[in-house]
Amino acid sequence: MKLLRQILIILVIFYVGQAIQLTTHIPIPGSVIGMILLFLLLSFHVISIDSLKELSDFCLSNLAFFFVPIIVSVVTAKDKILHIAPQFLATVVLSTAFVMVATGLAAQFLLRRREAKSNERL
């Protein structure tokens, strides 16, 4: 019952995001607006993290299940992907490398900033 209540909370936030997108015609998907709403509700403690803990634990423990539709789509579109294999692989490799570099630079920046703040306190 607790899990159903948590799913209902997420669905309500999702549909509010969809409604905002449809009424305002913002060029941002309603699901993203819903995620922003959820972030704001959690940040301002309107919704507590504990009220969504079971659902988040369930989703994280079954994370591989959410990749099944993507894998099925890739397998069914195998012929189309093989026609553009070099471009597809280059895009995957370059975007992965870009994400790794950007993540590393951001982590280094944040670590240096935290270290500088801790040195100022001493």
Side-chain angles (χ1 to χ4, degrees):
M1 193 66 183
K2 202 172 188 180
L3 200 59
L4 288 177
R5 186 173 51 93
Q6 294 175 3
I7 290 172
L8 182 66
I9 291 170
I10 296 295
L11 284 176
V12 167
I13 293 170
F14 170 77
Y15 283 114
V16 168
Q18 293 287 333
I20 290 172
Q21 197 275 330
L22 287 174
T23 55
T24 61
H25 302 291
I26 297 174
I28 299 171
S31 58
V32 174
I33 295 170
M35 285 192 292
I36 293 169
L37 285 174
L38 178 61
F39 174 75
L40 292 173
L41 292 171
L42 289 170
S43 295
F44 292 112
H45 303 286
V46 175
I47 296 175
S48 70
I49 292 175
D50 291 334
S51 66
L52 299 174
K53 183 169 179 23
E54 283 80 16
L55 180 62
S56 63
D57 288 344
F58 175 78
C59 289
L60 286 175
S61 63
N62 297 299
L63 194 60
F65 177 75
F66 297 111
F67 287 98
V68 170
I70 297 168
I71 293 169
V72 169
S73 297
V74 168
V75 169
T76 56
K78 181 179 71 178
D79 293 335
K80 292 178 184 175
I81 292 174
L82 286 177
H83 286 299
I84 57 167
Q87 297 94 338
F88 183 75
L89 286 175
T91 302
V92 168
V93 169
L94 289 175
S95 62
T96 301
F98 177 75
V99 167
M100 290 172 69
V101 168
T103 303
L105 290 173
Q108 286 179 345
F109 171 76
L110 292 173
L111 287 173
R112 285 186 192 132
R113 191 170 129 189
R114 185 168 74 182
E115 189 175 298
K117 282 186 177 181
S118 67
N119 287 339
E120 288 176 7
R121 291 182 188 154
L122 296 176

